[in-house]
Amino acid sequence: MDDYSIPSNLKYTKTHEWATSVNGSFKIGVTDYAQKSLHEVVYVELPEIGKKVKAGETVAVLESTKAIADVYSPVDGEVVEVNAALEGSPELINKDPYGKGWICVIKAESEPKDLLTPEQYAELIRRELSKS
Amino acid sequence: MKALPLIEFYESLGANISTFAGWQVPLWFEGVIPEHLAVRESVGIFDVSHMGRFWVRGSHAAAMLDYLFTHNIATMPVGAARYSLCLNEGGGIKDDLIVYRVDENSFFVVCNAVNREKIYGWLTQHASSYGVSVEDVTERSVMFAIQGPNSPPLIEKTLQIPIGEVKWFRFTTIKRGEATLIVARTGYTGEDGFEVIILPEETVDLVDHSTELLQQLLSSGRDYNVKLCGFGARDSLRLEAGLVLYGHEISEDITPLEARLHLFVKFEKESFIGKESLEKQDLEGLSRVRVGLLMIDPGIPREGYSIVKGERIVGKVTSGGYSPLLKKGIAMALVDTRHAILDSCVYVKIRQRNAKAKIVNWPFYNTAQYGRTRVVKWGVRNGSKSGRLQHSIKLEVYEDP
C-alpha cells in the first residue's frame, strides 16, 4: 500500500486538489494521492491568464500515459498566474506535487466554502481506499 | 474474468493490474515510460498469454488456411512464421494473426484475445469440409514476448539456442524439461525480439514451469538491463512503431487496403475469403485510409478524437498517446483520402481546442537509431562501471517475408 503525503499547512478539496491562500489569492495543485493515481503525467493543459472560473469548474487538465483528469478550481475567481514550467516538464506534478508541481494561482472573488482540513482529507482518502 | 496464469506472481512484484480483452493483466510494474524505454534501449519481457493459441492440423490444413487468410500459407516453408489477416466476405478484417508452420501438416495460430472465440469458431466452421482439426491450447500454454536490441543474447544465454539461425519471422522448436517451446523471432514493438510459447506436457504444472523460465530470463537479463513490462508499454510501443491493433485501426468494418496492410494481402492467390470485395475496392478507390499523426501543437491525441480541416471533420483518431521517445503526442487515424497527404497539416480536436498535427509515416521514431532495422551496431553493457561494450554482434537486416 502506498503512503500519501498530506501536508498540514494546506487545504484540500474532495476532488484531490490542494490550495493555499496568500493575500486572497489561492495557489492550487493536485495532491500526492491524485498524482499517484494518475501516474506518469505527460501533459498539462494550463488555463489562460485572466480566465474566470467558478468553484468546481475545470481550470486545468492533466494527462498521464493512460488517463485524463480535470483539475477543478476550489474557488470562484480569476487565474492570475500559471506554472509555465509544467509545459516542458509535466513530470513535476509527479515529482513534487505540493512544490514545483503547483498548477496556477487564482485571485478569489469570495471565500471558498467546503475546503477540507488535512484531517478531513486524510479521512476521505481512507474511505476511498477501503472502497477499492 | 480470466487472468494471466502468472498474475499472482506479477501481483507479488507490485504490478498495477488492469483488464484487457476480459483478462486481468499487469498494466505496468515500474511505469509505462521506463518499461517502454527499456524495450527501445535494452530488453523487456511481456506476458502475452491472453492471446488465442490454436493448433490447426491435417493434410489439408495448409489449403484451408490459405483460403481463410490473406497471406501465402500453402507455400510457407516449415519453420516460418507469417503475419496474416483473416477477412470476412466483405473484405473487413475479422482479425490479424501469426501463423507458424511447425511441420508440413501442422500449423500454430496466434490471434487476438478479444477474437479468440470468433476465430476458433471460424476455423472450426471450415475445418470439417477440409478434414482439419482445430485445438484451442490458450489456457494450457503461456506466451512471453522478449523484445529489444538485447533480446538475442538474452535468449541465446537462457535457452541455449544459436540465435543467428533464427532469423526474422522464423522460429525453432526446442524441448525444455517437460515442455515444448516455440521460439519465434517476432514481436509487436518495432524492435528485434522473440515470442516464446510454452507448451508443457500434461503432467507438468504450467504456472510453475513458466514462472521458473520467467525468473531465469529475469535473472540472466540483469546483465542486459532487462525490465518486466506491462500492457501499457506494449500499447505505447506498438503505437510508436505504427502497428495496428484490432478494434482500433482494424475491425470487421475496415479493410486491409484502408489500413494500408497491402503487404500481407496476396492478390495473386487464386482465392481467399474477402478477395473479391478487396479487388472491387481496389478498383473503385478508397475513401479513407490509415495515416500517422505527429502533434505539432501541445496535446495528446486520443482514440475517437476528430480530425478537422476548417469546419469539416475529415477523420477520426483510432489510437493515440504519448511517445516516450519523441516526448510528443502521436496517433494513428483513419482519414479522408483527399486529406491523407504526407507532410500536410490537419487539426485534432482536443477538448475545445484545434491542435495542429502533421501527417507522417510510421514508425514514428528515427529508424537509424531505433527499431529492428537500426543501423548502429548494438552492444550490451554488463553493468560494469566502465560501460565498455562487452558483447557486440553485427546486426543483420532481414527482409519481411
Side-chain angles (χ1 to χ4, degrees):
Chain A
M1 184 57 65
D2 280 324
D3 287 321
Y4 303 103
S5 146
I6 303 174
S8 57
N9 57 336
L10 303 174
K11 293 288 178 87
Y12 299 88
T13 67
K14 287 175 185 159
T15 46
H16 309 291
E17 291 86 11
W18 57 263
T20 178
S21 78
V22 191
N23 306 326
S25 286
F26 284 78
K27 188 180 211 181
I28 70 158
V30 297
T31 65
D32 189 39
Y33 176 81
Q35 72 81 9
K36 279 182 174 140
S37 312
L38 266 172
H39 206 71
E40 299 177 309
V41 174
V42 293
Y43 176 62
V44 181
E45 193 169 281
L46 293 167
E48 308 248 327
I49 289 175
K51 182 187 165 108
K52 298 249 202 269
V53 285
K54 294 260 178 232
E57 277 181 4
T58 301
V59 65
V61 182
L62 305 183
E63 295 208 26
S64 73
T65 47
K66 283 286 132 190
I68 304 176
D70 286 327
V71 178
Y72 302 106
S73 175
V75 293
D76 295 347
E78 181 183 331
V79 175
V80 290
E81 210 180 327
V82 298
N83 182 6
L86 293 174
E87 286 170 0
S89 305
E91 69 281 1
L92 290 173
I93 298 270
N94 298 114
K95 286 186 181 150
D96 192 8
Y98 299 113
K100 289 182 181 147
W102 66 278
I103 292 171
C104 63
V105 176
I106 299 168
K107 188 161 189 285
E109 283 169 358
S110 55
E111 265 312 293
K113 292 171 293 206
D114 308 330
L115 288 185
L116 306 177
T117 64
E119 294 72 26
Q120 289 168 324
Y121 182 65
E123 183 52 35
L124 181 101
I125 299 275
R126 268 193 291 276
R127 280 203 308 272
E128 289 212 0
L129 291 174
S130 66
K131 268 188 278 175
S132 59
Chain B
M1 175 72 66
K2 298 187 197 76
L4 296 184
L6 270 58
I7 196 77
E8 287 174 19
F9 178 61
Y10 304 135
E11 280 169 338
S12 77
L13 297 175
N16 185 293
I17 306 292
S18 183
T19 58
F20 179 80
W23 290 73
Q24 276 196 295
V25 300
L27 186 59
W28 72 72
F29 294 88
E30 190 181 320
V32 176
I33 296 169
E35 292 164 22
H36 181 111
L37 295 175
V39 171
R40 292 273 177 252
E41 287 161 5
S42 52
V43 56
I45 303 178
F46 304 81
D47 185 332
V48 292
S49 303
H50 65 300
M51 301 194 82
R53 291 179 291 284
F54 314 111
W55 280 110
V56 180
R57 294 181 170 117
S59 52
H60 299 296
M64 178 178 102
L65 296 178
D66 213 47
Y67 180 61
L68 297 184
F69 298 164
T70 55
H71 210 312
N72 289 320
I73 308 296
T75 57
M76 270 172 85
V78 170
R82 234 156 236 190
Y83 174 79
S84 190
L85 302 161
C86 178
L87 305 185
N88 59 35
E89 288 290 354
I93 300 169
K94 294 182 87 69
D95 204 5
D96 62 342
L97 6 75
I98 293 185
V99 184
Y100 303 82
R101 188 166 209 165
V102 179
D103 64 46
E104 197 55 27
N105 297 320
S106 308
F107 293 84
F108 200 77
V109 174
V110 177
C111 76
N112 281 297
V114 68
N115 292 324
R116 178 175 152 204
E117 283 76 20
K118 180 173 82 178
I119 293 300
Y120 180 75
W122 188 244
L123 293 171
T124 323
Q125 186 187 323
H126 292 86
S128 54
S129 61
Y130 283 91
V132 161
S133 76
V134 182
E135 187 188 359
D136 183 335
V137 294
T138 308
E139 285 169 50
R140 285 186 281 131
S141 56
V142 155
M143 183 164 167
F144 295 127
I146 298 96
Q147 302 279 304
N150 290 353
S151 61
L154 175 56
I155 288 288
E156 190 158 58
K157 183 172 164 190
T158 313
L159 299 177
Q160 311 291 321
I161 301 170
I163 222 63
E165 290 168 22
V166 186
K167 301 200 189 297
W168 186 241
F169 265 82
R170 289 289 185 276
F171 68 93
T172 184
T173 307
I174 61 166
K175 275 284 185 195
R176 183 180 183 275
E178 285 164 78
T180 302
L181 267 53
I182 295 176
V183 183
R185 199 158 192 164
T186 50
Y188 191 48
T189 59
E191 295 297 329
D192 194 3
F194 298 83
E195 288 174 305
V196 177
I197 299 155
I198 302 144
L199 299 155
E201 285 166 24
E202 275 170 29
T203 52
V204 180
D205 187 276
L206 175 66
V207 173
D208 289 349
H209 189 102
S210 312
T211 309
E212 195 260 321
L213 173 59
L214 178 57
Q215 281 173 323
Q216 204 189 331
L217 283 164
L218 291 171
S219 90
S220 308
R222 264 182 237 130
D223 292 345
Y224 304 106
N225 299 321
V226 73
K227 273 199 208 301
L228 193 54
C229 302
F231 277 54
R234 183 170 163 80
D235 192 49
S236 58
L237 285 157
R238 70 95 195 165
L239 173 64
E240 216 175 56
L243 298 168
V244 300
L245 174 60
Y246 185 86
H248 298 256
E249 289 72 38
I250 58 173
S251 74
E252 297 262 1
D253 304 317
I254 301 168
T255 72
L257 307 184
E258 292 168 322
R260 286 169 61 193
L261 297 169
H262 298 69
L263 268 182
F264 312 102
V265 179
K266 300 300 171 188
F267 282 109
E268 60 273 22
K269 285 203 292 187
E270 194 176 312
S271 65
F272 59 84
I273 291 182
K275 185 183 176 188
E276 279 145 41
S277 303
L278 289 192
E279 283 175 333
K280 183 163 172 280
Q281 187 180 45
D282 190 41
L283 284 176
E284 286 172 355
L286 301 169
S287 58
R288 57 177 186 173
V289 72
R290 173 170 66 117
V291 298
L293 294 176
L294 173 66
M295 293 309 297
I296 293 171
D297 284 344
I300 303 194
R302 306 271 183 182
E303 185 189 357
Y305 286 7
S306 294
I307 315 291
V308 296
K309 202 96 187 210
E311 296 295 300
R312 281 196 321 128
I313 294 177
V314 298
K316 279 259 183 295
V317 172
T318 50
S319 298
Y322 174 76
S323 161
L325 280 188
L326 304 180
K327 297 189 163 60
K328 279 180 185 171
I330 58 170
M332 289 189 275
L334 277 176
V335 169
D336 182 330
T337 41
R338 289 169 301 179
H339 295 283
I341 310 299
L342 196 63
D343 297 326
S344 73
C345 285
V346 293
Y347 292 84
V348 183
K349 191 132 197 116
I350 301 182
R351 293 176 284 276
Q352 289 1 295
R353 185 166 63 94
N354 282 348
K356 195 175 187 179
K358 187 166 81 166
I359 294 186
V360 296
N361 263 331
W362 48 77
F364 289 86
Y365 46 77
N366 177 354
T367 52
Q369 260 184 303
Y370 295 101
R372 192 176 60 81
T373 57
R374 68 184 73 194
V375 283
V376 294
K377 269 176 37 165
W378 54 264
V380 176
R381 291 163 205 271
N382 75 344
S384 66
K385 284 211 177 79
S386 74
R388 199 159 61 82
L389 296 183
Q390 298 291 314
H391 185 133
S392 175
I393 294 175
K394 186 170 163 287
L395 184 88
E396 292 177 59
V397 177
Y398 306 109
E399 286 300 307
D400 277 289

